[in-house]
Amino acid sequence: MLNIVVARRGEEVRWIDELPDHCTVTVCTDDASIGVPLDVTRHIQLVRLPGQHSTGELYLSHLRRAAAGPAESTTVFCPGDPLAVCPDFFALLDISALWGEVQPLSQTSANGEPAQDARDWLADLPVAPVRFDLRSWTPLGGFDKTMHRAQQRYRQTHQLDDHGHPATHFFEACGLDAFARTVGGHDLGVRDSGLLFAVRQSRINDWLATCGPALPQVSDWLRQDPAHPRIWDQFWLHLFGLPFVRLDALPRPDLALDVGSDDDALLEDFSLSRALATIDDTLARLAPPPLTRRDHQPSALQVARAVAAAQARRAPMESTESRQALADLSERAAQAFRVGDLQYAVSCAQLALKQDANHTSSRFTLAMALSAQGEREAALEQFEQLLNAGAPASRHPPVSDRTSAPVRPQ
């Protein structure tokens, strides 16, 4: 079953009569269509909205009224004239069995020209999704002056600095905080230039369950600025679960320090390149010195490792049983970090620090794992305690209070 949702803004829609019989049709129309007759003979559901609305706002109006449907059906979100952005629209409907759960269907580029880089195909029919940068909102391999200016204006209006993520700010204002965090952790997105795309009903059901309560706030936010609906339209595919793209970090050399102790072996054995890139970014937020890399000065990560190793050598003597228990927890945390099981690494390190708040190897592992998970503020506190040995304890409760035992997630 195909459910065709048409966002009509004054277009001629006689093409609806040519749709296959297994399609149901909902036409959402606004005041731009006054005086232009539908001239459609087949049965449709008609929703009239007062005022002027963008295509995306008409889609949202449908979602606000929609109820959960059969998971195996598919909804096609369709502008008033789909043939303008997809000349093979009817042929693509015939091969809907080949569609993905979130499927872009436009065949033209953002300026209406046929796509030059036809890398995406459904059978022998090309489609042309646009890959774009999540911070500048401009497409890869091209330049969208309108979206670039919209991004600059958005930064200026909301006083975002060069490092602020405009999409994160935008979706936080929509009340979609989880989605905002997801956007902020990635680099590239995919959009449909003609706003013609299909979504499996199971995805819509999930989205309505999680994001439905925020739809009134979304609508209010989109009405606050004429550019907001265009910004929202860039993210339709991802709102329904199409994955973003995160670029891999460059390979990193080993950062070995010769501090003259066997303790270095444990501290140097952290090798997740992506985690290290995130950790360096976190450490860069600490105030200098010695966090610059001019000449032969060590990096912040190197300094933290050296401090942890030196303090470990100065740790007071404890019973053999206590030392072994701490060593076991610390080793479990380090091993979990090395294989990428970051939450388990955090749990083990936190439990070790409950037993000994001065156990520097565990604190170092905890800082690394928290940073790799994106918990930058919590990670910064741990790094600061390593870099400022002997400083007073943090004003915040210890992160070890978050958990009582290391439980590996199922």
Side-chain angles (χ1 to χ4, degrees), residues 51-98:
Q52 304 287 321
H53 298 270
S54 70
T55 298
E57 287 175 310
L58 292 173
Y59 292 163
L60 279 172
S61 73
H62 168 75
L63 291 170
R64 291 184 66 173
R65 293 168 172 79
E72 68 278 4
S73 65
T74 296
T75 296
V76 179
F77 292 89
C78 179
D81 184 6
L83 298 175
V85 296
C86 182
D88 296 318
F89 177 61
F90 291 103
L92 286 171
L93 293 181
D94 291 337
I95 57 172
S96 60
L98 301 179

Side-chain angles (χ1 to χ4, degrees), residues 29-49:
T29 183
D30 68 358
D31 287 347
S33 301
I34 293 177
V36 181
L38 280 173
D39 199 17
V40 174
T41 60
R42 73 178 291 157
H43 173 74
I44 65 170
Q45 180 181 2
L46 181 63
V47 178
R48 295 186 182 275
L49 298 173

Side-chain angles (χ1 to χ4, degrees), residues 80-410:
D81 184 6
L83 298 175
V85 296
C86 182
D88 296 318
F89 177 61
F90 291 103
L92 286 171
L93 293 181
D94 291 337
I95 57 172
S96 60
L98 301 179
W99 296 355
E101 293 196 351
V102 182
Q103 180 63 61
L105 294 172
S106 291
Q107 294 180 310
T108 61
S109 60
N111 60 6
E113 297 293 329
Q116 300 298 313
D117 182 12
R119 70 179 66 185
D120 301 286
W121 295 78
L122 291 170
D124 59 348
L125 298 173
V127 291
V130 177
R131 279 83 174 173
F132 69 100
D133 179 84
L134 291 177
R135 290 180 177 269
S136 69
W137 302 340
T138 57
L140 303 182
F143 186 71
D144 186 337
K145 184 182 296 185
T146 301
M147 286 313 304
H148 180 69
R149 288 178 175 174
Q151 174 263 142
Q152 289 185 315
R153 180 174 173 271
Y154 190 88
R155 286 183 182 276
Q156 293 169 356
T157 300
H158 300 284
Q159 299 181 343
L160 302 181
D161 59 28
D162 291 341
H163 301 289
H165 202 304
T168 295
H169 183 278
F170 180 85
F171 285 103
E172 286 175 347
C174 290
L176 302 176
D177 292 345
F179 187 75
R181 290 192 295 271
T182 300
V183 174
H186 294 83
D187 303 297
L188 304 177
V190 180
R191 68 173 184 251
D192 187 285
S193 59
L195 294 182
L196 173 62
F197 56 92
V199 183
R200 190 70 54 82
Q201 186 64 39
S202 58
R203 295 291 188 105
I204 296 177
N205 293 344
D206 292 343
W207 191 78
L208 290 175
T210 57
C211 301
L215 285 179
Q217 182 174 341
V218 170
S219 297
D220 289 342
W221 179 243
L222 297 190
R223 286 195 293 266
Q224 290 189 24
D225 190 296
H228 287 181
R230 186 177 177 89
I231 296 170
W232 173 275
D233 287 345
Q234 296 223 112
F235 294 89
W236 273 115
L237 305 180
H238 298 293
L239 286 161
F240 290 120
L242 189 73
F244 290 104
V245 176
R246 180 177 176 87
L247 301 179
D248 290 337
L250 294 175
R252 296 173 58 87
D254 292 335
L255 299 177
L257 280 181
D258 183 12
V259 294
S261 169
D262 292 337
D263 295 320
D264 296 26
L266 174 64
L267 297 174
E268 291 300 332
D269 200 12
F270 300 96
S271 59
L272 296 180
S273 61
R274 289 190 186 185
L276 290 174
T278 305
I279 290 159
D280 266 2
D281 184 57
T282 300
L283 285 167
R285 299 175 60 190
L286 287 171
L291 304 180
T292 60
R293 296 197 180 197
R294 300 187 184 95
D295 301 327
H296 300 292
Q297 296 185 32
S299 71
L301 184 56
Q302 290 173 318
V303 172
R305 288 177 172 175
V307 170
Q311 289 197 346
R313 291 195 298 275
R314 295 196 297 268
M317 293 297 293
E318 299 170 329
S319 69
T320 302
E321 182 178 351
S322 297
R323 288 201 308 273
Q324 186 59 48
L326 280 173
D328 289 345
L329 280 171
S330 183
E331 177 61 22
R332 286 160 64 188
Q335 290 287 353
F337 181 83
R338 283 195 290 272
V339 300
D341 194 348
L342 301 177
Q343 186 55 53
Y344 189 62
V346 168
S347 298
C348 291
Q350 287 171 339
L351 191 56
L353 289 171
K354 273 190 172 181
Q355 297 183 25
D356 181 1
N358 297 317
H359 199 257
T360 53
S361 297
S362 297
R363 189 172 300 282
F364 184 70
T365 303
L366 176 60
M368 299 277 280
L370 288 171
S371 183
Q373 291 184 103
E375 297 188 34
R376 295 185 176 182
E377 297 303 325
L380 280 172
E381 290 192 11
Q382 303 306 314
F383 280 122
E384 284 174 337
Q385 290 193 46
L386 286 172
L387 293 169
N388 301 305
S394 167
R395 63 183 181 279
H396 299 293
V399 293
S400 58
D401 290 342
R402 298 183 194 172
T403 186
S404 58
V407 179
R408 191 180 298 275
Q410 300 300 316

